[in-house]
Amino acid sequence: MEMTLRWYGSKFDTVTLEQIRQIPGVTGVITTLYDTAPGDVWSRERIQEMKAEVAAAGLHVAGIESVNVHDAIKTGSADRDKYIDNYIETLENLGKEDIHLVCYNFMPVFDWTRTELARKRPDGSTVLAYTQEAVDAINPEDMFASISGDMNGTVMPGWEPERMAKIKDLFAMYKDIDDEKLFENLKYFLERIMPVCNKYDINMAIHPDDPAWSVFGLPRIIINKKNILRMMEMVNNPHNGVTFCSGSYGTNLENDLPDMIRSLKGRIHFAHVRNLKFNSPTDFEEAAHLSSDGTFDMYEIMKALYDIGFDGPIRPDHGRMIWGEVAMPGYGLYDRALGATYLNGLWEAIEKGETRHAVK
């Protein structure tokens, strides 16, 4: 595996490439053209500029997160083919620039949902958190206003103000879309893009819905083992794979994370590994990566990835805000750097343990 860190670009991220380069074991970044809108074509020139900036700092682009999918594709509207053609052109340009991993999601309206961006923990750190009771008590049109004050002046992915300003229109677009229709639209999209993925060896890694259940009545399909296996079988191509995000799948305590990983051998192209702490099944907060700080056994998650021969990029996911850092919630430097070194330590321990076992 390769340890990486997500980076939004020098114009948008409070974390610099120079800082990332100093995190032990981190050799690449997962990045994006953050100022492009869903449906825009990414030009080769802009991709080349992005790669050159990263390379100048002694790192490389290990993958893209995300090339966002236009709502016309998700809803299957009459103009979806135009946006799929644009997506294919972007994939061609990425492939020509030797980039072979794209993380994306197929979530309606909200890319992810949290009810708090700065819940204070006993140690004084602040974290992203979710309570179903808060969601049930709020109008979806008021969600953005309820959390925007805690964004520390940043623009958070999936919660761009211009997108949230159209929240009524977005809900109207999805009013006739249920799980089955969303699956059909995902299948259509994947079938259209697989030829270019085959040509340029591009792995498409779908990100799970977060949280892993319906929010505000919207359909959610990338939520559990059954649905993921269905997605892979309906477009049975090795380039049609997943981003295994322990934090997103882990929002549903019925998901057995190590078992899911082992069932997806060969189709996990990218991994986000983080911990959650549950106060109740519908009230969770994002913990430090350390197993003892949350609900999940991080060793077992990393061991499962090792056991299936996972060799793709991995990154620590949302970190706490610690040591007075002011950054995009979940995407500061300090706690993610701690997470990266912790995950690297687990991987090293697993490797050495397996080697010693083999020698004996």
Side-chain angles (χ1 to χ4, degrees), residues 135-202:
V135 169
D136 293 341
I138 196 169
N139 186 313
E141 296 171 24
D142 299 326
M143 273 294 295
F144 179 74
S146 72
I147 64 173
S148 59
D150 291 328
M151 291 183 179
N152 294 330
T154 64
V155 178
M156 299 196 70
W159 291 80
E160 297 82 4
E162 59 272 17
R163 178 175 174 81
M164 291 300 100
K166 301 175 183 176
I167 196 77
K168 284 185 179 180
D169 295 336
L170 287 169
F171 268 86
M173 287 177 68
Y174 286 93
K175 65 181 177 64
D176 296 323
I177 306 296
D178 59 12
D179 286 6
E180 288 303 312
K181 186 63 177 176
L182 198 60
F183 261 119
E184 289 175 18
N185 295 339
L186 176 58
K187 183 175 186 287
Y188 185 91
F189 169 66
L190 288 170
E191 288 177 337
R192 283 286 319 276
I193 68 171
M194 280 298 108
V196 73
C197 293
N198 292 337
K199 181 177 179 179
Y200 291 101
D201 190 26
I202 296 174

Side-chain angles (χ1 to χ4, degrees), residues 17-33:
L17 290 170
E18 290 72 23
Q19 290 169 327
I20 295 172
R21 181 69 180 84
Q22 295 171 32
I23 303 171
V26 172
T27 57
V29 295
I30 302 294
T31 189
T32 187
L33 296 181

Side-chain angles (χ1 to χ4, degrees), residues 107 112 114 207-212 222-223 245-252 255 257 272 274 276 296 317-318:
M107 286 181 257
W112 51 272
R114 293 292 182 271
H207 190 282
D209 299 349
D210 190 357
I222 309 301
I223 57 173
C245 179
S246 64
S248 297
Y249 284 125
T251 57
N252 185 342
N255 285 333
L257 302 180
H272 298 173
R274 61 180 164 91
L276 296 177
F296 305 142
D317 205 358
H318 302 161

Side-chain angles (χ1 to χ4, degrees), residues 259-307:
D259 173 70
M260 289 179 70
I261 291 169
R262 291 187 169 91
S263 73
L264 298 170
K265 182 178 181 179
R267 301 292 279 273
I268 298 177
H269 298 317
F270 182 30
H272 298 173
V273 181
R274 61 180 164 91
N275 208 346
L276 296 177
K277 179 177 175 57
F278 280 82
N279 301 304
S280 78
T282 57
D283 181 333
F284 61 82
E285 56 195 51
E286 297 183 349
H289 287 72
L290 189 72
S291 295
S292 60
D293 195 53
T295 298
F296 305 142
D297 186 329
M298 305 302 283
Y299 178 90
E300 290 300 326
I301 290 170
M302 294 294 282
K303 179 69 162 55
L305 288 168
Y306 181 90
D307 287 346

Side-chain angles (χ1 to χ4, degrees), residues 41-334:
V41 174
W42 292 21
S43 70
R44 284 192 70 178
E45 291 74 19
R46 290 214 58 198
I47 296 168
Q48 289 167 352
E49 291 169 1
M50 173 183 68
K51 286 182 61 183
E53 182 180 11
V54 172
L59 298 160
H60 78 110
V61 176
I64 299 298
E65 184 182 350
S66 302
V67 180
N68 290 318
V69 179
H70 196 278
D71 288 299
I73 299 172
K74 296 178 186 178
T75 60
S77 66
D79 57 347
R80 66 176 169 182
D81 283 320
K82 174 180 73 173
Y83 292 108
I84 294 176
D85 289 341
N86 288 354
Y87 206 100
I88 289 171
E89 187 174 348
T90 293
L91 292 178
E92 288 176 338
N93 290 337
L94 289 168
K96 290 172 183 176
E97 293 302 323
D98 200 29
I99 295 174
H100 303 284
L101 170 69
V102 173
C103 173
Y104 70 104
N105 75 70
F106 221 72
M107 286 181 257
V109 185
F110 301 110
D111 279 7
W112 51 272
T113 307
R114 293 292 182 271
T115 53
E116 299 166 69
L117 301 184
R119 178 184 288 183
K120 195 165 186 178
R121 303 193 76 214
D123 62 5
S125 64
T126 60
V127 295
L128 283 70
Y130 179 97
T131 58
Q132 188 61 44
E133 291 78 7
V135 169
D136 293 341
I138 196 169
N139 186 313
E141 296 171 24
D142 299 326
M143 273 294 295
F144 179 74
S146 72
I147 64 173
S148 59
D150 291 328
M151 291 183 179
N152 294 330
T154 64
V155 178
M156 299 196 70
W159 291 80
E160 297 82 4
E162 59 272 17
R163 178 175 174 81
M164 291 300 100
K166 301 175 183 176
I167 196 77
K168 284 185 179 180
D169 295 336
L170 287 169
F171 268 86
M173 287 177 68
Y174 286 93
K175 65 181 177 64
D176 296 323
I177 306 296
D178 59 12
D179 286 6
E180 288 303 312
K181 186 63 177 176
L182 198 60
F183 261 119
E184 289 175 18
N185 295 339
L186 176 58
K187 183 175 186 287
Y188 185 91
F189 169 66
L190 288 170
E191 288 177 337
R192 283 286 319 276
I193 68 171
M194 280 298 108
V196 73
C197 293
N198 292 337
K199 181 177 179 179
Y200 291 101
D201 190 26
I202 296 174
N203 288 325
M204 297 297 297
I206 194 166
H207 190 282
D209 299 349
D210 190 357
W213 57 76
S214 176
V215 177
F216 298 122
L218 294 165
R220 295 283 180 128
I221 57 175
I222 309 301
I223 57 173
N224 55 29
K225 178 179 174 179
K226 176 184 175 182
N227 284 18
I228 278 291
L229 292 176
R230 174 183 174 181
M231 185 209 76
M232 291 193 300
E233 289 167 3
M234 75 185 188
V235 181
N236 192 11
N237 184 311
H239 292 112
N240 172 29
V242 304
T243 295
F244 193 88
C245 179
S246 64
S248 297
Y249 284 125
T251 57
N252 185 342
L253 289 170
E254 294 181 4
N255 285 333
D256 182 333
L257 302 180
D259 173 70
M260 289 179 70
I261 291 169
R262 291 187 169 91
S263 73
L264 298 170
K265 182 178 181 179
R267 301 292 279 273
I268 298 177
H269 298 317
F270 182 30
H272 298 173
V273 181
R274 61 180 164 91
N275 208 346
L276 296 177
K277 179 177 175 57
F278 280 82
N279 301 304
S280 78
T282 57
D283 181 333
F284 61 82
E285 56 195 51
E286 297 183 349
H289 287 72
L290 189 72
S291 295
S292 60
D293 195 53
T295 298
F296 305 142
D297 186 329
M298 305 302 283
Y299 178 90
E300 290 300 326
I301 290 170
M302 294 294 282
K303 179 69 162 55
L305 288 168
Y306 181 90
D307 287 346
I308 66 168
F310 175 74
D311 61 359
I314 188 171
R315 69 168 178 82
D317 205 358
H318 302 161
R320 303 167 299 149
M321 286 295 109
I322 61 174
W323 304 337
E325 185 176 21
V326 178
M328 182 188 295
Y331 287 100
L333 171 64
Y334 306 139

